[in-house]
Amino acid sequence: MVSREQKRGVLHEKLQILRSVTHSHAGDKMSIIADASSYIKDLKQKIAKLNQEIASAQHANVCKPLVSVEVLEKGFLINVFMDKSSPGLLASILEAFDEIGLTVLEARATCAGSFRLEAVGEEEDEGLIDAHAVEQAVVQATKNCPSN
């Protein structure tokens, strides 16, 4: 059986550990417990804020398209991927190709759940378009899409 003094000693040790973990300068046990409670409340607020930041960062990444443009002998190979699909996205990208003078020779698109496009495009007037311009046109088209 544990004596009353041993219980007090164990309680005192635990309060000292709690005091050091919570960076409390309190002397009596009620103040140490109050400081610990406040410390826990602050930690919960920090966790909630971090969770919000993580969620918004994940949302930003979900909406951001992955675009790669490879220069071919005559034209470009364009690959577009987004985690989500939205109505009008394909039409928006094809309109952007038309606006910069890129004729689509071949294309494969998937819009079920995520969005994928692989297209081969050829310049109407050779030498006027570079890969970066094609990439920027696609990124802008995804931003301008009515559902995004």
Side-chain angles (χ1 to χ4, degrees):
M1 195 142 109
V2 180
S3 73
R4 186 175 279 191
E5 285 185 31
Q6 286 176 324
K7 286 182 182 179
R8 278 189 186 153
V10 170
L11 179 62
H12 180 74
E13 274 183 47
K14 288 182 179 180
L15 283 172
Q16 292 309 312
I17 291 170
L18 184 61
R19 188 174 166 212
S20 68
V21 168
T22 61
H23 308 291
S24 174
H25 298 291
D28 64 293
K29 70 178 159 180
M30 288 306 294
S31 297
I32 294 171
I33 293 171
D35 287 349
S37 176
S38 177
Y39 182 76
I40 291 169
K41 197 182 298 183
D42 290 344
L43 287 177
K44 283 183 177 181
Q45 287 175 346
K46 287 178 183 177
I47 289 170
K49 183 179 176 185
L50 288 172
N51 283 336
Q52 286 177 338
E53 289 174 7
I54 289 169
S56 66
Q58 287 174 336
H59 178 71
N61 288 338
V62 165
C63 297
K64 189 175 180 182
L66 296 173
V67 180
S68 68
V69 179
E70 184 181 323
V71 179
L72 302 175
E73 189 176 318
K74 288 186 177 182
F76 304 95
L77 173 62
I78 303 116
N79 286 294
V80 182
F81 174 78
M82 287 182 69
D83 283 341
K84 69 172 192 150
S85 183
S86 60
L89 184 56
L90 179 59
S92 182
I93 292 171
L94 293 175
E95 286 173 5
F97 288 163
D98 191 46
E99 288 173 11
I100 62 171
L102 193 67
T103 302
V104 177
L105 302 176
E106 183 180 328
R108 268 183 259 149
T110 304
C111 301
S114 62
F115 176 84
R116 265 185 208 278
L117 171 67
E118 180 179 87
V120 176
E122 185 176 78
E123 297 176 72
E124 292 171 3
D125 298 320
E126 286 189 38
L128 298 178
I129 307 171
D130 66 350
H132 183 71
V134 175
E135 184 178 336
Q136 290 304 308
V138 171
V139 170
Q140 193 60 45
T142 61
K143 289 179 182 175
N144 293 343
C145 184
S147 298
N148 285 337

